[in-house]
Amino acid sequence: SQAVALDDPAALLERVAQTMPLLGFLEGPQCSGFYHRSGVMQLGEATVSCSRHAPIEIGFGDCAFSTLILPLSGNAQVRTDGHRLSLQGGPMAAYLPGAAFTASTDTFEEVMICLDRRRLAETASSLVGRFGNASSFAPQFQHTLLVDGSGLSQQADLLNHLHLALRLVEAPLLQPAAGLKAALLEDLVYRLAAAIVCPAAAQGHEQPLPHAS
């Protein structure tokens, strides 16, 4: 309901630069008509944005927060810190810890959640319980990660629950009670994001789970 539709690239540059360290932007070579429709909402310390846009090539500088990208439709190539991630609409997510990145997309729709790394580590620690130590989880949130949520897995369940939680962001019931319900949703988003990036925490372990042989 709060989405803004733009057909002027200059207007998009101004809008994006308000929340992200924008370095450069180009219309995609296959773009037949520029458009960008997006909505941005603040959920406590987390910024949630959803956008649908024509093919673009865009670059961002280093930032102090992490970004969790949930692709809804289309395809995108993301390059960051020596990694190249292929995103496509479906049950998957890309976690970017704050390093500069570039993205090249076709017609693409995605949700981006900007999160505080310190709070993610603290949330992962809380999932373990009273024996959890936030400092032991901090390194888990400093690396780029592509999460595959296809098939029957814990990651698939977590991603599905995160999508369900995000549908509540604009729910009328979140408005009363002095923002209390919105704060609870923010906490839920942090818990789900922490568990998606660090599944060991969701299973009560401080160390990463060993890879299946």
Side-chain angles (χ1 to χ4, degrees), residues 62-87:
D62 294 338
C63 57
F65 51 82
S66 295
T67 303
L68 189 67
I69 303 174
L70 307 175
L72 302 180
S73 67
N75 297 278
Q77 298 292 322
V78 176
R79 296 176 178 84
T80 178
D81 197 25
H83 299 272
R84 177 173 176 171
L85 310 179
S86 295
L87 307 184

Side-chain angles (χ1 to χ4, degrees), residues 1-211:
S1 66
Q2 298 186 28
V4 175
L6 302 172
D7 57 11
D8 177 10
L12 173 63
L13 294 179
E14 182 178 352
R15 179 172 171 80
V16 172
Q18 293 175 4
T19 55
M20 298 283 287
L22 185 66
L23 291 181
F25 165 83
L26 290 172
E27 293 182 46
Q30 72 274 42
C31 187
S32 59
F34 178 81
Y35 72 90
H36 190 283
R37 177 177 170 82
S38 64
V40 181
M41 294 190 69
Q42 199 67 31
L43 194 62
E45 296 180 1
T47 301
V48 179
S49 65
C50 182
S51 61
R52 178 176 176 81
H53 52 80
I56 60 173
E57 296 180 4
I58 196 165
F60 298 98
D62 294 338
C63 57
F65 51 82
S66 295
T67 303
L68 189 67
I69 303 174
L70 307 175
L72 302 180
S73 67
N75 297 278
Q77 298 292 322
V78 176
R79 296 176 178 84
T80 178
D81 197 25
H83 299 272
R84 177 173 176 171
L85 310 179
S86 295
L87 307 184
Q88 58 186 12
M92 67 185 311
Y95 174 77
L96 310 179
F101 71 93
T102 61
S104 178
T105 82
D106 59 14
T107 299
F108 195 58
E109 183 175 7
E110 81 278 359
V111 172
M112 297 180 65
I113 312 173
C114 298
L115 301 159
D116 178 76
R117 284 190 296 277
R118 173 191 54 79
R119 182 167 173 181
L120 282 170
E122 292 173 350
T123 301
S125 174
S126 72
L127 294 176
V128 172
R130 63 190 182 94
F131 298 108
N133 185 341
S135 61
S136 67
F137 285 104
Q140 302 299 310
F141 299 97
Q142 296 173 4
H143 301 285
T144 300
L145 178 67
L146 185 64
V147 179
D148 181 5
S150 61
L152 299 176
S153 67
Q154 173 182 294
Q155 298 301 80
D157 287 340
L158 290 169
L159 280 170
N160 182 53
H161 281 81
L162 180 56
H163 279 277
L164 291 174
L166 291 173
R167 293 179 184 178
L168 299 174
V169 169
E170 290 189 300
L173 291 177
L174 293 178
Q175 305 307 318
L180 176 61
K181 294 181 180 179
L184 293 175
L185 179 56
E186 176 199 10
D187 182 66
L188 175 60
V189 168
Y190 263 96
R191 285 176 176 270
L192 289 169
I196 288 169
V197 177
C198 187
Q203 297 187 21
H205 302 284
E206 281 208 3
Q207 299 301 322
L209 296 175
H211 293 291

